[in-house]
């Protein structure tokens, strides 16, 4: 089993729709969780950190479910500019300085 | 606003050649790291550093060396290039001053092909 798993997609979604995807992680001792966004042939950029209580940033909401060991990302009122690959990131439990990256979920927003 | 600067952006090597990927940041970040990104896989950590003079191995360190003589620079050396090292390499930095990585800031990447 991969340490961090994501559905690779692509998710093809009409503009204005709501889309959600999950990421599962294998080690229950992980403490830090993030969503990064990566545009085609570009570097990853932090989208948001994921806190135990969940967090929201505009149209984006991230949730953590420790019992089932997954994090989720919800995008409301999707825009064409949301088209990207979304990377799930979790810290390696034995090292706060090492992160484990999922392979990403590709999202395509269609007009 | 330079942020994290990587050079070169593209490089083609022959098997057995050596080279150095350069990485510099101007944000006074203590933490710096090198990743490789291959199709269908998550980014994999090669080496990282939590400050000048301190380096440590990540998930896939074999075939790579690093050094951190200054806070700003963190070069990655390929000792004897192999086709399996064909990849996109990213340098990333963060404050790393609270005992954890925090938000990573990435360079634009270096695309390396080994023939």
């Amino acid at each position: 089993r991969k340490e961090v798993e994501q559905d690779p997609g692509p998710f093809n979604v009409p503009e204005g729709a709501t889309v959600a995807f999950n990421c599962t992680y294998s080690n229950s001792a992980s403490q830090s969780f993030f969503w990064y966004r990566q545009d085609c042939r570009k570097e990853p950029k932090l989208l948001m950190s994921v806190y135990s209580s969940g967090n929201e940033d505009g149209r984006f909401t991230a949730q953590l479910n420790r019992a089932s060991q997954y994090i989720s990302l919800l995008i409301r009122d999707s825009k064409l500019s949301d088209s990207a690959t979304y990377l799930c990131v979790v810290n390696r439990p034995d090292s706060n300085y090492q992160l484990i990256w999922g392979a990403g979920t590709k999202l395509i927003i269609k007009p | 606003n330079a942020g994290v600067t990587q050079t070169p952006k593209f490089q083609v090597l022959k098997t057995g050649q050596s080279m150095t990927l350069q990485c510099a940041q101007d944000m006074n970040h203590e933490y710096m790291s090198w990743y490789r990104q291959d199709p269908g896989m998550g980014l994999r950590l090669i080496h990282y550093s939590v400050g000048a003079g301190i380096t440590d191995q990540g998930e896939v360190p074999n075939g790579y060396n690093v050094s951190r003589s200054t806070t700003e620079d963190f070069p990655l050396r390929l000792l004897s290039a192999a086709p399996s090292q064909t990849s996109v390499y990213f340098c990333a930095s963060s404050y790393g001053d609270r005992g954890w990585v925090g938000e990573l800031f990435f360079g634009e990447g270096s695309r390396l092909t080994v023939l």
Side-chain angles (χ1 to χ4, degrees):
Chain A
R1 179 184 175 189
K2 290 182 180 178
E3 292 177 285
V4 176
E5 287 200 81
Q6 296 183 252
D7 183 335
F11 285 54
N12 290 286
V13 174
E15 191 176 9
T18 295
V19 60
F21 26 83
N22 292 339
C23 160
T24 59
Y25 60 96
S26 62
N27 197 310
S28 60
S30 291
Q31 295 291 327
S32 302
F33 308 91
F34 309 91
W35 283 104
Y36 277 74
R37 169 197 169 121
Q38 186 173 26
D39 294 317
C40 188
R41 300 180 73 84
K42 297 288 190 180
E43 73 274 20
K45 293 183 180 178
L46 180 67
L47 179 65
M48 57 200 313
S49 301
V50 187
Y51 306 119
S52 296
S53 56
N55 52 312
E56 186 173 318
D57 183 2
R59 299 182 291 108
F60 298 84
T61 300
Q63 297 281 353
L64 168 63
N65 185 315
R66 285 193 183 274
S68 300
Q69 293 180 213
Y70 73 86
I71 65 173
S72 63
L73 180 66
L74 178 79
I75 306 174
R76 291 181 296 277
D77 187 24
S78 53
K79 311 291 184 191
L80 295 176
S81 57
D82 294 334
S83 296
T85 297
Y86 291 84
L87 307 175
C88 170
V89 188
V90 174
N91 79 292
R92 192 172 295 281
D94 56 349
S95 170
N96 285 333
Y97 289 114
Q98 297 194 46
L99 301 176
I100 309 167
W101 295 69
T105 296
K106 187 171 185 177
L107 175 65
I108 301 172
I109 306 299
K110 296 186 176 298
Chain B
N1 295 338
V4 179
T5 303
Q6 281 183 241
T7 56
K9 287 188 169 46
F10 301 93
Q11 183 72 49
V12 178
L13 290 177
K14 294 181 180 178
T15 297
Q17 288 184 317
S18 62
M19 76 158 298
T20 299
L21 298 176
Q22 301 291 345
C23 176
Q25 53 90 9
D26 62 359
M27 297 174 282
N28 202 32
H29 285 169
E30 290 296 326
Y31 181 89
M32 295 186 75
S33 56
W34 276 102
Y35 285 92
R36 59 177 291 173
Q37 187 174 34
D38 300 296
M41 301 181 71
L43 275 75
R44 290 183 291 168
L45 182 64
I46 303 171
H47 286 285
Y48 67 98
S49 167
V50 298
I54 305 169
T55 64
D56 209 342
Q57 296 182 351
E59 183 184 354
V60 289
N62 292 341
Y64 308 94
N65 273 356
V66 292
S67 59
R68 184 95 181 269
S69 56
T70 67
T71 299
E72 294 77 21
D73 300 299
F74 191 46
L76 178 72
R77 296 181 189 83
L78 279 71
L79 308 172
S80 177
S84 60
Q85 293 179 305
T86 293
S87 187
V88 179
Y89 291 85
F90 287 102
C91 178
S93 71
S94 77
Y95 285 105
D97 60 349
R98 300 181 184 179
W100 61 298
V101 175
E103 178 181 1
L104 282 171
F105 295 83
F106 284 82
E108 294 183 336
S110 299
R111 295 181 179 274
L112 175 67
T113 301
V114 182
L115 302 175

